[in-house]
Amino acid sequence: MEVEILEEKADSLRFILRDSSPAFANALRRGMLADVPVMAIEDVIFLENASVMYDEILAHRLGLVPLKTDLDAYVPREECDCKSDLGCAKCTASFVLEAEATDQTITVYSGDLKAATETVPTSDRIPVVKLAPGQKVKLEAYARLGRGSEHAKWQAASVAAYRYMPKVTLHDENLSNPEDVIKICPTRVFASDSTRKIFIKNELDCILCNACVEQAVPSDQKKGPPVEINGDDTTFLFNVESTGALPPKRIVREAGSLLIKRAEAMTALVDAEQKK
Ligand SMILES: [Zn+2]
């Protein structure tokens, strides 16, 4: 297998996976969405809630705030030796939130969560609740590691998708309507040069919709189709977007190492069975 990174930003990653299979690409995609652990608020203790929002709804909203996760600093609570309901420093990050509206309506934002550790919201501008004059909220919140398969608030990747690598073949000498083909393509794969000769400009942008194949009229029927589109099922174009909890590269790496761990566990089980 081979990986080529096309574009890397703080919260997104586009890469090509070569010499692989649809089964592996899909296992990787599912791993990124459902298995890579991140921190999210799970327990909230309300000391005071005079807002119009029920405790449960407010706790749910706090749970959905993405938190910057230092994966190396925490262990999953179920694996932690503290065995406590609210966890310890090794498995839990804590926050306090105290806000009160005095003479005018205020909005409480994610930035108002005061973190006791390095685990902080990915953005300070996520609205949590509005408070009218006289209303007050005072609470403690506890975050722990979890997985997307348990609840969407623990999903590390907001997008993890792939498509087959497009292969566009153009026989322009047999194409009678190049302008129509250029125009019909929704992702502008084709373009024409100064002599109005059609050429393939952005092959990677092809979404395999086949609109160009349907639009193309051959000048000679006997010579076969002027445009052909094929998807390569050994090469995949991946697009990964992070909620901000983890860098996108780390999400891919974690999903890969989880697959390795599972394969090793499976091998060990088979070996144990053989020895019986
Ligand atoms: Zn613990």
Side-chain angles (χ1 to χ4, degrees):
M1 274 193 288
E2 215 176 278
V3 168
E4 182 194 336
I5 292 178
L6 298 174
E7 189 184 38
E8 188 182 4
K9 292 183 189 162
D11 54 5
S12 69
L13 180 70
R14 280 178 68 227
F15 67 94
I16 301 176
L17 173 69
R18 287 199 177 84
D19 298 328
S20 188
S21 66
F24 181 79
N26 198 38
L28 192 64
R29 178 191 72 87
R30 293 184 59 129
M32 288 190 258
L33 290 173
D35 289 333
V36 176
V38 288
M39 297 291 273
I41 289 172
E42 168 71 350
D43 300 295
V44 180
I45 297 174
F46 287 91
L47 303 170
E48 198 175 341
N49 179 14
S51 75
V52 292
M53 219 177 255
Y54 295 120
D55 292 0
E56 291 87 342
I57 306 289
L58 197 47
H60 179 249
R61 289 183 65 92
L62 288 169
L64 293 173
V65 172
L67 303 175
K68 279 192 189 126
T69 300
D70 180 359
L71 261 190
D72 307 311
Y74 294 98
V75 289
R77 192 177 289 171
E78 60 275 13
E79 289 169 24
C80 187
D81 42 28
C82 70
K83 304 285 174 226
S84 118
D85 276 350
L86 282 180
C88 65
K90 278 190 273 178
C91 61
T92 307
S94 61
F95 302 85
V96 289
L97 194 158
E98 190 170 1
E100 186 174 8
T102 48
D103 50 349
Q104 55 181 330
T105 303
I106 61 160
T107 304
V108 179
Y109 290 96
S110 51
D112 295 317
L113 278 166
K114 296 286 165 269
T117 62
E118 307 264 290
T119 306
V120 293
T122 58
S123 164
D124 284 346
R125 301 296 294 164
I126 302 169
V128 176
V129 64
K130 271 192 174 180
L131 298 177
Q135 293 179 348
K136 190 179 173 185
V137 168
K138 193 175 175 188
L139 57 86
E140 290 169 14
Y142 298 91
R144 67 165 173 92
L145 287 175
R147 295 168 196 279
S149 52
E150 205 178 330
H151 191 286
K153 68 182 176 183
W154 282 301
Q155 200 171 302
S158 46
V159 174
Y162 66 86
R163 57 194 165 93
Y164 291 170
M165 179 71 129
K167 179 84 200 97
V168 182
T169 316
L170 177 66
H171 302 285
D172 57 326
E173 73 287 347
N174 192 28
L175 179 62
S176 64
N177 58 340
E179 268 93 29
D180 296 341
V181 170
I182 293 170
K183 216 186 279 173
I184 197 84
C185 177
T187 55
R188 301 274 170 262
V189 170
F190 305 97
S192 58
D193 58 17
S194 52
T195 63
R196 300 179 76 191
K197 188 176 151 62
I198 185 170
F199 65 98
I200 301 164
K201 197 181 170 198
N202 307 305
E203 190 175 38
L204 281 188
D205 287 349
C206 173
I207 52 168
L208 309 174
C209 71
N210 272 321
C212 54
V213 175
E214 283 159 28
Q215 191 72 20
V217 179
S219 26
D220 183 351
Q221 285 286 1
K222 278 176 261 165
K223 281 187 180 162
V227 187
E228 282 175 277
I229 302 288
N230 290 295
D232 176 357
D233 66 0
T234 66
T235 309
F236 307 88
L237 275 168
F238 267 88
N239 184 23
V240 180
E241 282 175 27
S242 165
T243 59
L246 287 174
K249 245 188 194 169
R250 182 79 196 255
I251 296 175
V252 180
R253 203 182 301 146
E254 286 298 320
S257 54
L258 284 164
L259 285 176
I260 295 172
K261 265 188 212 157
R262 282 183 184 171
E264 281 169 355
M266 184 68 198
T267 313
L269 285 173
V270 173
D271 287 349
E273 195 62 26
Q274 269 174 345
K275 278 183 199 138
K276 270 185 190 169

PDB file of all heavy atoms in Angstrom, residues 48 50-51 98-108 129-138:
ATOM      1  N   GLU A  48     -26.910  24.756  40.139  1.00  0.00           N
ATOM      2  CA  GLU A  48     -28.033  25.682  39.973  1.00  0.00           C
ATOM      3  C   GLU A  48     -28.361  25.772  38.493  1.00  0.00           C
ATOM      4  O   GLU A  48     -27.451  25.872  37.654  1.00  0.00           O
ATOM      5  CB  GLU A  48     -27.634  27.066  40.524  1.00  0.00           C
ATOM      6  CG  GLU A  48     -28.828  27.943  40.784  1.00  0.00           C
ATOM      7  CD  GLU A  48     -28.452  29.271  41.452  1.00  0.00           C
ATOM      8  OE1 GLU A  48     -27.358  29.358  42.034  1.00  0.00           O
ATOM      9  OE2 GLU A  48     -29.262  30.204  41.353  1.00  0.00           O
ATOM     10  N   ALA A  50     -31.285  27.971  36.603  1.00  0.00           N
ATOM     11  CA  ALA A  50     -32.489  28.786  36.556  1.00  0.00           C
ATOM     12  C   ALA A  50     -32.794  29.196  35.116  1.00  0.00           C
ATOM     13  O   ALA A  50     -33.627  30.058  34.875  1.00  0.00           O
ATOM     14  CB  ALA A  50     -32.302  30.017  37.441  1.00  0.00           C
ATOM     15  N   SER A  51     -32.115  28.578  34.139  1.00  0.00           N
ATOM     16  CA  SER A  51     -32.379  28.908  32.737  1.00  0.00           C
ATOM     17  C   SER A  51     -33.671  28.214  32.301  1.00  0.00           C
ATOM     18  O   SER A  51     -34.217  27.381  33.031  1.00  0.00           O
ATOM     19  CB  SER A  51     -31.221  28.413  31.851  1.00  0.00           C
ATOM     20  OG  SER A  51     -31.284  27.012  31.686  1.00  0.00           O
ATOM     21  N   GLU A  98     -20.052  28.870  35.333  1.00  0.00           N
ATOM     22  CA  GLU A  98     -20.887  29.710  36.185  1.00  0.00           C
ATOM     23  C   GLU A  98     -21.197  30.982  35.408  1.00  0.00           C
ATOM     24  O   GLU A  98     -20.281  31.681  34.962  1.00  0.00           O
ATOM     25  CB  GLU A  98     -20.141  30.039  37.491  1.00  0.00           C
ATOM     26  CG  GLU A  98     -21.057  30.689  38.493  1.00  0.00           C
ATOM     27  CD  GLU A  98     -20.424  30.820  39.890  1.00  0.00           C
ATOM     28  OE1 GLU A  98     -19.263  30.407  40.056  1.00  0.00           O
ATOM     29  OE2 GLU A  98     -21.101  31.344  40.768  1.00  0.00           O
ATOM     30  N   ALA A  99     -22.480  31.214  35.169  1.00  0.00           N
ATOM     31  CA  ALA A  99     -22.862  32.410  34.413  1.00  0.00           C
ATOM     32  C   ALA A  99     -24.175  32.943  34.960  1.00  0.00           C
ATOM     33  O   ALA A  99     -25.053  32.177  35.364  1.00  0.00           O
ATOM     34  CB  ALA A  99     -23.017  32.063  32.940  1.00  0.00           C
ATOM     35  N   GLU A 100     -24.288  34.258  34.960  1.00  0.00           N
ATOM     36  CA  GLU A 100     -25.503  34.887  35.484  1.00  0.00           C
ATOM     37  C   GLU A 100     -25.805  36.133  34.661  1.00  0.00           C
ATOM     38  O   GLU A 100     -24.888  36.902  34.337  1.00  0.00           O
ATOM     39  CB  GLU A 100     -25.284  35.266  36.958  1.00  0.00           C
ATOM     40  CG  GLU A 100     -26.539  35.792  37.602  1.00  0.00           C
ATOM     41  CD  GLU A 100     -26.362  36.031  39.115  1.00  0.00           C
ATOM     42  OE1 GLU A 100     -25.210  35.927  39.614  1.00  0.00           O
ATOM     43  OE2 GLU A 100     -27.372  36.328  39.770  1.00  0.00           O
ATOM     44  N   ALA A 101     -27.075  36.310  34.298  1.00  0.00           N
ATOM     45  CA  ALA A 101     -27.474  37.519  33.580  1.00  0.00           C
ATOM     46  C   ALA A 101     -27.989  38.519  34.603  1.00  0.00           C
ATOM     47  O   ALA A 101     -28.866  38.184  35.394  1.00  0.00           O
ATOM     48  CB  ALA A 101     -28.549  37.184  32.566  1.00  0.00           C
ATOM     49  N   THR A 102     -27.435  39.703  34.611  1.00  0.00           N
ATOM     50  CA  THR A 102     -27.886  40.702  35.594  1.00  0.00           C
ATOM     51  C   THR A 102     -28.937  41.637  35.005  1.00  0.00           C
ATOM     52  O   THR A 102     -30.131  41.438  35.203  1.00  0.00           O
ATOM     53  CB  THR A 102     -26.684  41.485  36.154  1.00  0.00           C
ATOM     54  OG1 THR A 102     -25.874  41.903  35.059  1.00  0.00           O
ATOM     55  CG2 THR A 102     -25.869  40.629  37.109  1.00  0.00           C
ATOM     56  N   ASP A 103     -28.503  42.607  34.172  1.00  0.00           N
ATOM     57  CA  ASP A 103     -29.503  43.564  33.675  1.00  0.00           C
ATOM     58  C   ASP A 103     -29.932  43.320  32.228  1.00  0.00           C
ATOM     59  O   ASP A 103     -30.897  43.889  31.763  1.00  0.00           O
ATOM     60  CB  ASP A 103     -28.995  45.005  33.846  1.00  0.00           C
ATOM     61  CG  ASP A 103     -27.594  45.181  33.290  1.00  0.00           C
ATOM     62  OD1 ASP A 103     -26.954  44.147  32.980  1.00  0.00           O
ATOM     63  OD2 ASP A 103     -27.156  46.329  33.146  1.00  0.00           O
ATOM     64  N   GLN A 104     -29.203  42.453  31.496  1.00  0.00           N
ATOM     65  CA  GLN A 104     -29.658  42.151  30.129  1.00  0.00           C
ATOM     66  C   GLN A 104     -29.427  40.683  29.778  1.00  0.00           C
ATOM     67  O   GLN A 104     -28.657  39.991  30.444  1.00  0.00           O
ATOM     68  CB  GLN A 104     -28.962  43.073  29.117  1.00  0.00           C
ATOM     69  CG  GLN A 104     -27.461  43.028  29.206  1.00  0.00           C
ATOM     70  CD  GLN A 104     -26.802  43.968  28.207  1.00  0.00           C
ATOM     71  OE1 GLN A 104     -27.339  44.231  27.139  1.00  0.00           O
ATOM     72  NE2 GLN A 104     -25.632  44.465  28.542  1.00  0.00           N
ATOM     73  N   THR A 105     -30.102  40.246  28.699  1.00  0.00           N
ATOM     74  CA  THR A 105     -30.000  38.847  28.269  1.00  0.00           C
ATOM     75  C   THR A 105     -28.589  38.550  27.775  1.00  0.00           C
ATOM     76  O   THR A 105     -28.009  39.344  27.033  1.00  0.00           O
ATOM     77  CB  THR A 105     -31.014  38.589  27.131  1.00  0.00           C
ATOM     78  OG1 THR A 105     -32.306  38.927  27.613  1.00  0.00           O
ATOM     79  CG2 THR A 105     -31.005  37.122  26.701  1.00  0.00           C
ATOM     80  N   ILE A 106     -28.048  37.425  28.203  1.00  0.00           N
ATOM     81  CA  ILE A 106     -26.709  37.044  27.746  1.00  0.00           C
ATOM     82  C   ILE A 106     -26.742  35.647  27.120  1.00  0.00           C
ATOM     83  O   ILE A 106     -27.665  34.872  27.360  1.00  0.00           O
ATOM     84  CB  ILE A 106     -25.660  37.065  28.889  1.00  0.00           C
ATOM     85  CG1 ILE A 106     -26.040  36.064  29.992  1.00  0.00           C
ATOM     86  CG2 ILE A 106     -25.464  38.453  29.455  1.00  0.00           C
ATOM     87  CD1 ILE A 106     -24.863  35.679  30.881  1.00  0.00           C
ATOM     88  N   THR A 107     -25.734  35.378  26.296  1.00  0.00           N
ATOM     89  CA  THR A 107     -25.572  34.030  25.745  1.00  0.00           C
ATOM     90  C   THR A 107     -24.349  33.404  26.389  1.00  0.00           C
ATOM     91  O   THR A 107     -23.294  34.036  26.451  1.00  0.00           O
ATOM     92  CB  THR A 107     -25.380  34.084  24.216  1.00  0.00           C
ATOM     93  OG1 THR A 107     -26.477  34.779  23.645  1.00  0.00           O
ATOM     94  CG2 THR A 107     -25.317  32.679  23.616  1.00  0.00           C
ATOM     95  N   VAL A 108     -24.534  32.195  26.881  1.00  0.00           N
ATOM     96  CA  VAL A 108     -23.408  31.457  27.464  1.00  0.00           C
ATOM     97  C   VAL A 108     -22.762  30.656  26.332  1.00  0.00           C
ATOM     98  O   VAL A 108     -23.446  29.940  25.599  1.00  0.00           O
ATOM     99  CB  VAL A 108     -23.887  30.516  28.586  1.00  0.00           C
ATOM    100  CG1 VAL A 108     -22.722  29.728  29.168  1.00  0.00           C
ATOM    101  CG2 VAL A 108     -24.608  31.303  29.668  1.00  0.00           C
ATOM    102  N   VAL A 129     -26.420  28.247  25.976  1.00  0.00           N
ATOM    103  CA  VAL A 129     -27.766  28.595  26.475  1.00  0.00           C
ATOM    104  C   VAL A 129     -27.862  30.127  26.597  1.00  0.00           C
ATOM    105  O   VAL A 129     -26.851  30.797  26.755  1.00  0.00           O
ATOM    106  CB  VAL A 129     -28.036  27.899  27.839  1.00  0.00           C
ATOM    107  CG1 VAL A 129     -27.087  28.389  28.918  1.00  0.00           C
ATOM    108  CG2 VAL A 129     -29.479  28.071  28.300  1.00  0.00           C
ATOM    109  N   LYS A 130     -29.103  30.614  26.500  1.00  0.00           N
ATOM    110  CA  LYS A 130     -29.322  32.050  26.704  1.00  0.00           C
ATOM    111  C   LYS A 130     -29.913  32.261  28.089  1.00  0.00           C
ATOM    112  O   LYS A 130     -30.762  31.466  28.527  1.00  0.00           O
ATOM    113  CB  LYS A 130     -30.295  32.595  25.651  1.00  0.00           C
ATOM    114  CG  LYS A 130     -29.597  33.070  24.393  1.00  0.00           C
ATOM    115  CD  LYS A 130     -30.544  33.845  23.516  1.00  0.00           C
ATOM    116  CE  LYS A 130     -29.755  34.419  22.351  1.00  0.00           C
ATOM    117  NZ  LYS A 130     -30.584  35.179  21.437  1.00  0.00           N
ATOM    118  N   LEU A 131     -29.471  33.297  28.750  1.00  0.00           N
ATOM    119  CA  LEU A 131     -29.989  33.592  30.083  1.00  0.00           C
ATOM    120  C   LEU A 131     -30.638  34.975  30.086  1.00  0.00           C
ATOM    121  O   LEU A 131     -30.028  35.945  29.632  1.00  0.00           O
ATOM    122  CB  LEU A 131     -28.851  33.563  31.118  1.00  0.00           C
ATOM    123  CG  LEU A 131     -28.110  32.230  31.310  1.00  0.00           C
ATOM    124  CD1 LEU A 131     -26.985  32.409  32.319  1.00  0.00           C
ATOM    125  CD2 LEU A 131     -29.060  31.134  31.762  1.00  0.00           C
ATOM    126  N   ALA A 132     -31.871  35.045  30.609  1.00  0.00           N
ATOM    127  CA  ALA A 132     -32.562  36.331  30.751  1.00  0.00           C
ATOM    128  C   ALA A 132     -32.162  36.939  32.097  1.00  0.00           C
ATOM    129  O   ALA A 132     -31.663  36.220  32.974  1.00  0.00           O
ATOM    130  CB  ALA A 132     -34.070  36.102  30.683  1.00  0.00           C
ATOM    131  N   PRO A 133     -32.372  38.258  32.275  1.00  0.00           N
ATOM    132  CA  PRO A 133     -31.987  38.883  33.538  1.00  0.00           C
ATOM    133  C   PRO A 133     -32.536  38.112  34.750  1.00  0.00           C
ATOM    134  O   PRO A 133     -33.692  37.711  34.764  1.00  0.00           O
ATOM    135  CB  PRO A 133     -32.615  40.279  33.446  1.00  0.00           C
ATOM    136  CG  PRO A 133     -32.650  40.553  31.980  1.00  0.00           C
ATOM    137  CD  PRO A 133     -32.901  39.236  31.310  1.00  0.00           C
ATOM    138  N   GLY A 134     -31.653  37.870  35.702  1.00  0.00           N
ATOM    139  CA  GLY A 134     -32.057  37.147  36.911  1.00  0.00           C
ATOM    140  C   GLY A 134     -31.804  35.647  36.834  1.00  0.00           C
ATOM    141  O   GLY A 134     -31.843  34.951  37.841  1.00  0.00           O
ATOM    142  N   GLN A 135     -31.537  35.130  35.625  1.00  0.00           N
ATOM    143  CA  GLN A 135     -31.310  33.679  35.493  1.00  0.00           C
ATOM    144  C   GLN A 135     -29.838  33.353  35.685  1.00  0.00           C
ATOM    145  O   GLN A 135     -28.959  34.140  35.331  1.00  0.00           O
ATOM    146  CB  GLN A 135     -31.767  33.184  34.106  1.00  0.00           C
ATOM    147  CG  GLN A 135     -33.271  33.283  33.941  1.00  0.00           C
ATOM    148  CD  GLN A 135     -33.733  32.811  32.573  1.00  0.00           C
ATOM    149  OE1 GLN A 135     -32.940  32.614  31.668  1.00  0.00           O
ATOM    150  NE2 GLN A 135     -35.033  32.635  32.439  1.00  0.00           N
ATOM    151  N   LYS A 136     -29.596  32.140  36.216  1.00  0.00           N
ATOM    152  CA  LYS A 136     -28.237  31.757  36.560  1.00  0.00           C
ATOM    153  C   LYS A 136     -28.004  30.274  36.297  1.00  0.00           C
ATOM    154  O   LYS A 136     -28.935  29.468  36.453  1.00  0.00           O
ATOM    155  CB  LYS A 136     -28.013  32.062  38.054  1.00  0.00           C
ATOM    156  CG  LYS A 136     -26.580  31.935  38.489  1.00  0.00           C
ATOM    157  CD  LYS A 136     -26.434  32.274  39.968  1.00  0.00           C
ATOM    158  CE  LYS A 136     -25.011  31.966  40.416  1.00  0.00           C
ATOM    159  NZ  LYS A 136     -24.802  32.143  41.833  1.00  0.00           N
ATOM    160  N   VAL A 137     -26.781  29.967  35.890  1.00  0.00           N
ATOM    161  CA  VAL A 137     -26.411  28.560  35.706  1.00  0.00           C
ATOM    162  C   VAL A 137     -25.090  28.331  36.413  1.00  0.00           C
ATOM    163  O   VAL A 137     -24.158  29.140  36.300  1.00  0.00           O
ATOM    164  CB  VAL A 137     -26.262  28.209  34.202  1.00  0.00           C
ATOM    165  CG1 VAL A 137     -25.610  26.859  34.022  1.00  0.00           C
ATOM    166  CG2 VAL A 137     -27.602  28.224  33.504  1.00  0.00           C
ATOM    167  N   LYS A 138     -25.037  27.249  37.196  1.00  0.00           N
ATOM    168  CA  LYS A 138     -23.796  26.894  37.874  1.00  0.00           C
ATOM    169  C   LYS A 138     -23.667  25.376  37.829  1.00  0.00           C
ATOM    170  O   LYS A 138     -24.560  24.657  38.296  1.00  0.00           O
ATOM    171  CB  LYS A 138     -23.839  27.394  39.324  1.00  0.00           C
ATOM    172  CG  LYS A 138     -22.498  27.351  40.009  1.00  0.00           C
ATOM    173  CD  LYS A 138     -22.583  27.979  41.400  1.00  0.00           C
ATOM    174  CE  LYS A 138     -21.257  27.818  42.123  1.00  0.00           C
ATOM    175  NZ  LYS A 138     -21.329  28.237  43.519  1.00  0.00           N
TER     176      LYS A 138
END
